[in-house]
Amino acid sequence: MAEVEQLSEELTTLKRVVQTSLHRGLLAKGVHEVCKAIESKQAKFVVLADDCTEDTYKKLVVALAKQFQIPVWRVEKGALLGEWIGISKFLTKTKKIKSRKCSSVALKDFAIEVSENEKAFVENKIKGL
């Protein structure tokens, strides 16, 4: 039970960090923007979906991140990332019409709305990756 709560806390914190960075323009989405952010060393870390069907896509992002020493945080589903960045379609807040996946995002910087506790939590997590 404690593992589920910890996982939920990690995902909740990551979701908040991703969404606030998105609204401030500090998030790279998709393979082209993510690779560009990694190569220019702007990315603090990359979030990669494990259910991405393109193996070359995952290998490219992981290899570039490893080359430039940028941590990769893995999430299980790309649909989750799609919801976080707003590409899934909703009829109401709870009823989803169309689920769209996003395979990777790169955080360029933390938004000013992110609290110090959340920032410290994420930084400690990415140090362990």
Side-chain angles (χ1 to χ4, degrees), residues 3 23 30-31 43-44 53 62-63 66-67 89 96 100 103 114 126-127:
E3 290 179 17
H23 294 298
V31 70
K44 291 207 180 283
T53 56
V62 170
K66 189 174 184 178
Q67 179 182 353
K89 305 286 183 191
K96 191 185 308 184
R100 295 183 62 197
S103 295
V114 175
I126 61 176
K127 284 179 186 175

Side-chain angles (χ1 to χ4, degrees), residues 1-8:
M1 187 72 169
E3 290 179 17
V4 173
E5 289 177 14
Q6 182 181 5
L7 181 63
S8 177

Side-chain angles (χ1 to χ4, degrees), residues 25 48-49 52 57 60 84 87 90 98 115 123:
L48 181 66
C52 177
Y57 182 108
L60 173 67
W84 292 354
I87 60 174
F90 287 89
K98 186 175 183 180
S115 70
E123 286 175 343

